[in-house]
Structures are given as structure tokens and as C-alpha cells.
């Protein structure tokens, strides 16, 4: 089910603050603020809230297994990066979607497996602060048996920024799992990792501390069994706006 959170606090000299360990979760999150502070451990996330594994008509869908006697691995879904490959072919998994310069799309879901990441848009007209261990993420969901979901989108625009060393901004593909069936013996095989999502960070006139962990990596295939592969990494763009050159 889709769910949207829209927070607007654009009045000058007001600060939107998320207290220590606060957590905002939704498929689509849109925040417009003058100042915004994520306290220590605060989280804004759309993890595993994008396209579901049942949505075969949606972009980036990771196909189900090619049923064979020995190997029934499943494809990882795509978004900014292609999903990990498996047995047979899966056109939807092997094409990317969305725009790296304006990321608003969600990650694809894996058949019977992990759901994709949702979409987050943050606009701060003055100062964005992310304290220690805070996180903004739209990761694909891991899955213990089938493929992981693809990462979603995170788009952040801030005139000024102060981001702690271990703050995180991520749109990571979910990890795949593994399973087995019986065919003249027990046959083990893994499923693929989801493709990475899309992250865009736009910074304006002043940047203080800026050393967050940023990742759009693809998900890992499940275990050491054969059958499938890791997902590809997605897109990350960092650019200046106005007088800021990066």
C-alpha cells in the first residue's frame, strides 16, 4: 500500500528537529524546511516501501525462477543499477529507470522476494544538520530466500549543510537469500541482489562538516551457492547550486 508523508516548515528562523532516535517511515517522504536537524540516531527512511515483489508490471521487476530440475534462482530487480542475474532472461531486471539528475522513482521489487526502496525528497532553504548516526535512506529490502529489492531514491537540496562523519545517506540494493528443493537429491541455489538506487545531493553557499557515509551499492547474492549474482551499483550525484562549486 502507498503512503505519503509531507512535512512543510519553511518559515524563516524556524527549525524542524527530529529528536534523538526519532524515526519517520513512509513510501514517499517530502520535507520542505527552513532549518532541519536530525538528532543523534534519528532516521528518515523509505526502506523496503517501494514497488513490491508482486508488482510484475512495475519498472525494474525482478523475475521469478526459470523452473529447472536443478536451479531455480531468481533475478534481482533494478533501479539506478541493474539487478543481479540468475537463470534464463529478465528484461525488466536488466534495464535501469529513473533520472540521476532528478531522482523521484522507486526501486523495483523481486518476485516473491524483497520490496524496493521508496522515494525521499528533502529541501532545506537554510541549514541542514545531520548529527552522529542519523540516517536518510531508501534501501531495498533483504530477503532470506529469494532476491533482494532494488534501492529507491533520495534527493536532498540544502543551501547550507553540516553532516557528521558517521551520518548515512543511502539507497542500497537488498541482499538476496538462498533455498533448496529436492530433485534426485537436495539442490541448493541462491537468488540475486537488488540493484542500487539513486542519490542526488545539491549544496549551496556554505558547507561545514561534510563526511557522511553515502552508498548506492547493489545487494549481495545469497550465500555461496550457485545460481545468481550481486546487483549493480546505482547512481550518486553531488553538485553545487548557486555560488557553491563542488
Amino acid at each position: 500500500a502507498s503512503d505519503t508523508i509531507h512535512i512543510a516548515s519553511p518559515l524563516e528562523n524556524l527549525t524542524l528537529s527530529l529528536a534523538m532516535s526519532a524515526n519517520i517511515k513512509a513510501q514517499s517522504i517530502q520535507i520542505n524546511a527552513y532549518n532541519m536537524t536530525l538528532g543523534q540516531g534519528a532516521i528518515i527512511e523509505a526502506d523496503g516501501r517501494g514497488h513490491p515483489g508482486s508488482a510484475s508490471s512495475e519498472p525494474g521487476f525482478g523475475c521469478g525462477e526459470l523452473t529447472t530440475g536443478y536451479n531455480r534462482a531468481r533475478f534481482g530487480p533494478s533501479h539506478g543499477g541493474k539487478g543481479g542475474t540468475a537463470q534464463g532472461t529478465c528484461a525488466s531486471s536488466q534495464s535501469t529507470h529513473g533520472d540521476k539528475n532528478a531522482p523521484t522513482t522507486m526501486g523495483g521489487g523481486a518476485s516473491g522476494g524483497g520490496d524496493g526502496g521508496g522515494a525521499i525528497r528533502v529541501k532545506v532553504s537554510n541549514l541542514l544538520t545531520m548529527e552522529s548516526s542519523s540516517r536518510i535512506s531508501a534501501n531495498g529490502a533483504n530477503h532470506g530466500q529469494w532476491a533482494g529489492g532494488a534501492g529507491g531514491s533520495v534527493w536532498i537540496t540544502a543551501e547550507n549543510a553540516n553532516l557528521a562523519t558517521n551520518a548515512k545517506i543511502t539507497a542500497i540494493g537488498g541482499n538476496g537469500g538462498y533455498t533448496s528443493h529436492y530433485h534426485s537429491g537436495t539442490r541448493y541455489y541462491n537468488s540475486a541482489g537488488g540493484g542500487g538506487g539513486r542519490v542526488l545531493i545539491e549544496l549551496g553557499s556554505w558547507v561545514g562538516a561534510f563526511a557522511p557515509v553515502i552508498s548506492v551499492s547493489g545487494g549481495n547474492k545469497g550465500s555461496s551457492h550457485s545460481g545468481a549474482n550481486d546487483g549493480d551499483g546505482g547512481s550518486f550525484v553531488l553538485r553545487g547550486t548557486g555560488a557553491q562549486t563542488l
Side-chain angles (χ1 to χ4, degrees):
S2 63
D3 55 319
T4 299
I5 293 177
H6 188 183
I7 300 173
S9 178
L11 296 179
E12 189 170 345
N13 299 322
L14 290 182
T15 298
L16 174 63
S17 296
L18 273 69
M20 183 172 62
S21 301
N23 195 323
I24 295 176
K25 298 180 181 181
Q27 181 184 77
S28 174
I29 300 173
Q30 301 170 37
I31 298 176
N32 184 1
Y34 181 73
N35 295 311
M36 179 169 139
T37 297
L38 275 69
Q40 184 175 350
I43 297 172
I44 298 172
E45 62 161 294
D47 298 350
R49 292 172 176 265
H51 295 307
S54 58
S56 59
S57 62
E58 297 293 350
F61 180 69
C63 304
E65 76 271 16
L66 174 68
T67 302
T68 70
Y70 295 96
N71 195 318
R72 300 179 183 178
R74 299 187 181 187
F75 279 79
S78 70
H79 185 201
K82 297 178 182 179
T85 55
Q87 302 300 301
T89 60
C90 179
S92 55
S93 162
Q94 297 306 295
S95 60
T96 60
H97 62 279
D99 183 354
K100 68 179 181 179
N101 292 308
T104 59
T105 43
M106 301 190 298
S111 177
D115 295 344
I120 298 174
R121 178 70 171 110
V122 174
K123 293 190 288 185
V124 179
S125 56
N126 189 39
L127 176 62
L128 170 64
T129 301
M130 293 182 66
E131 296 183 356
S132 174
S133 300
S134 61
R135 170 165 57 91
I136 300 175
S137 63
N139 301 328
N142 299 330
H143 200 271
Q145 183 176 5
W146 302 117
S153 291
V154 178
W155 181 359
I156 298 172
T157 304
E159 183 64 19
N160 307 296
N162 194 2
L163 309 185
T165 301
N166 59 349
K168 293 182 179 181
I169 301 170
T170 61
I172 299 169
N175 296 329
Y178 71 95
T179 189
S180 65
H181 69 277
Y182 188 86
H183 180 84
S184 301
T186 302
R187 309 296 176 182
Y188 291 94
Y189 42 89
N190 60 27
S191 283
R198 298 190 183 279
V199 172
L200 167 62
I201 300 176
E202 300 174 304
L203 300 176
S205 59
W206 177 84
V207 179
F210 186 81
V213 176
I214 300 170
S215 179
V216 291
S217 63
N220 297 323
K221 62 185 179 183
S223 76
S224 59
H225 298 298
S226 64
N229 296 291
D230 298 341
D232 290 350
S235 66
F236 167 57
V237 177
L238 172 65
R239 66 186 178 209
T241 61
Q244 183 65 46
T245 301
L246 301 174

